[in-house]
Structure formats: structure tokens, C-alpha cells
Amino acid sequence: MPQASPRGTYLVIAEALRAEIQQREGAGTLPSEADMMRSHGVGRNTIRRALKVLEADGLVESVPGIGWRLAGGGDRRSLAERMTGVIAEDCLSVGDAYPSEAKLCARFGASRTAVRRVLAQMEGNGLLTTVHGKGRTVRALPTPTTRP
């Protein structure tokens, strides 16, 4: 593994794991945390932080007694990419209401914390705007290169 900042090592590992996951076909379990520690040359906490990043993006999930496995079905896009895709999938235009946090949590099977994090990113990128008491509305349509 290349030398990286101790504070960002888990992000480098998360991206490496993301690349491995995208190459996989079908569902399955990931290697054990111990195997990942050996292959990346880092400690357990670093591996767990990397896995938490992927879990927040909806790519993996922890299953008690089994370990980490690929989450859900066939959609391997990150939560951010899927939530940005809602605008096109639901044929929303500028000024239309964006779905609520509760609806997004149910739609993507994600935690409210993960949904809120992506919503904040989308607002920061200028895709959404929030009017207190009214909810979120589409402020701009995403371009093919826009990523939250």
C-alpha cells in the first residue's frame, strides 16, 4: 500500500474496496476483517472505518455471525449517485418537491444519518434547496458529470 496520511488511510482503503466490489459479479461476502488487515497492512480500526464509509454509501452491510457482505441487489452505485438519480428517475424539474428523508430512507434502505449527509452534499452542490417548513426542492438539474 502506498504511504498515505494516517488520517486518510481508511479513505484510500475504502476506495480500493469499492473498486474490488464493482468488479465482483453477484452478491457475496467480503473477506474477513483479519484478511483485509493483512492484505492492506493496517489495523482493524482502519478497516472498520473504511467499511463504515462503504456501508454509509449502501454498498456493504454487516451481518452478525457472517461478517460483511455486499448490500442489497444489483444496484452498485453509491447512495449519493442513487439519490442524485432520483431527479431523473422521478422526472423532477427545477422547482419540484424532492422526496422527504423518510421516503428516501425507505426507498434506499439507508439510515437517516446517511441520507442527511448526502442531502447536505446535494445542497452544497446546488442541486437542492431547503425552505424550512416546506421541504426540499430541486434547484438545478444534475449534469452527467455532477456527483454529490
Side-chain angles (χ1 to χ4, degrees), residues 58-132:
L59 292 176
V60 299
E61 60 190 0
S62 175
V63 181
I66 295 175
W68 291 90
R69 70 176 181 189
L70 301 179
D75 196 352
R76 298 258 190 269
R77 296 179 299 163
S78 71
L79 180 60
E81 291 168 328
R82 291 184 288 158
M83 285 177 57
T84 300
V86 166
I87 295 172
E89 292 164 12
D90 293 358
C91 299
L92 300 177
S93 58
V94 174
D96 288 348
Y98 193 77
S100 67
E101 289 178 5
K103 288 181 181 177
L104 292 167
C105 289
R107 183 172 180 169
F108 297 115
S111 71
R112 189 168 292 253
T113 302
V115 166
R116 283 182 178 165
R117 181 178 55 86
V118 174
L119 287 170
Q121 289 175 346
M122 291 174 74
E123 287 176 11
N125 288 339
L127 294 176
L128 301 178
T129 187
T130 301
V131 178
H132 294 287

Side-chain angles (χ1 to χ4, degrees), residues 13 33 36-37 40-49:
I13 292 171
E33 289 180 1
M36 286 188 270
M37 287 167 49
H40 293 284
V42 296
R44 187 172 305 274
N45 284 338
T46 303
I47 293 296
R48 286 186 176 166
R49 285 183 73 186

